[in-house]
Amino acid sequence: MIEVISITLVIIGALIGAGFASGQEIFSFFYIYGKNGIYGILIMSILIGIFIYKSLKIIYQKQVYNYNDFLNLFIKNTKIRNVILWIVNVLLLVSFYIMVAGFGAYFEQEIGINRIIGSIVLNLLCVIVFFLNIKGVLKASNFIVPFLIFFIFFIGIKNIVQIRTIDFYQMKNNWILSMLIYNSYNFILLMPVLISLKKQITKEKNIKKVSILVTIIILILSISIFFLLLNANIKEIENQEMPIVYIISNYFNKYKKIYAFIVLASIFTTAISVGIGFLQNISKNSNSYPQFVLFMCITSLLMSNIGFSKLLNFIYPVFGYIGILQIVIIFFIN
């Protein structure tokens, strides 16, 4: 059971980043669809569980040790594989940008400090980790993620009890497409993480347990955040970079400092994960490594000026459409 919990926490940690913890993802991909957003969350959670089950079985049974091995299962053309690898690397880089922008957005929204300052702080922390030991920080996520799960669940339940009348109005259509896009871009980011878990899986039967546990946790967390969003008027939070942070600050102020730690820690660990993933894929030798670290940090500062929510709402859907192809492939590999 320890193996199942350990693997589950790594997966949940990969799924919960700045977009999820801040409420921006749930708001943009589910909440704006009213009651249909609840159906979308339910289907999304089930699909994530199925995807994880199918993917881990493929990785375990077919001895997949890297993303190229995985692509080689269904794409024999080297040029096409290289193009897909390039797309994955771009998504990892852009995800790093989004984490940096999210860190800056928190500083600006909650502390009133220019977002560039927050972005610089995260970059400096990441640079230290990139050049030192990553293992300790990644292990720290095993403590942060359970804390995040417990806190969101706790405040979500407390919140549901407080809300007596909920007006589930439908604001937009196309909730099914939105749900699929959310799933597909998460699947692209999740696949490298699942592949890295190959050595941790000692028993194939644990794969099903992990999939079920992830499904339950993601469903509970997503529903909790959805209900938290109901505390504020839609007009009040639609222009907020981090709607849940805004709600915690204004409606659950005594938990503000706790949630600040959770959000910033989640952003930090996710930034390191996607950053290391990009650097390992793109750096061919030790000489090029510092150059790519410098490139990542400088360009992330430039991108952070665009804004956290704008980056997330534009970039993720683009990769979401691309990721739909991966969903189809996964479900048809034997």
Side-chain angles (χ1 to χ4, degrees), residues 41-60:
I41 287 173
L42 177 60
I43 298 172
M44 171 271 289
S45 303
I46 294 172
L47 286 178
I48 282 180
I50 295 172
F51 175 84
I52 290 170
Y53 176 74
K54 286 281 293 181
S55 299
L56 286 178
K57 282 202 73 173
I58 292 168
I59 292 165
Y60 184 84

Side-chain angles (χ1 to χ4, degrees), residues 30 33-43 168-170 172-176 226:
F30 300 101
Y33 297 98
K35 64 180 180 181
N36 286 337
I38 296 288
Y39 306 143
I41 287 173
L42 177 60
I43 298 172
F168 281 124
Y169 56 93
Q170 183 174 329
K172 293 186 178 182
N173 296 314
N174 302 324
W175 63 274
I176 294 178
F226 189 98

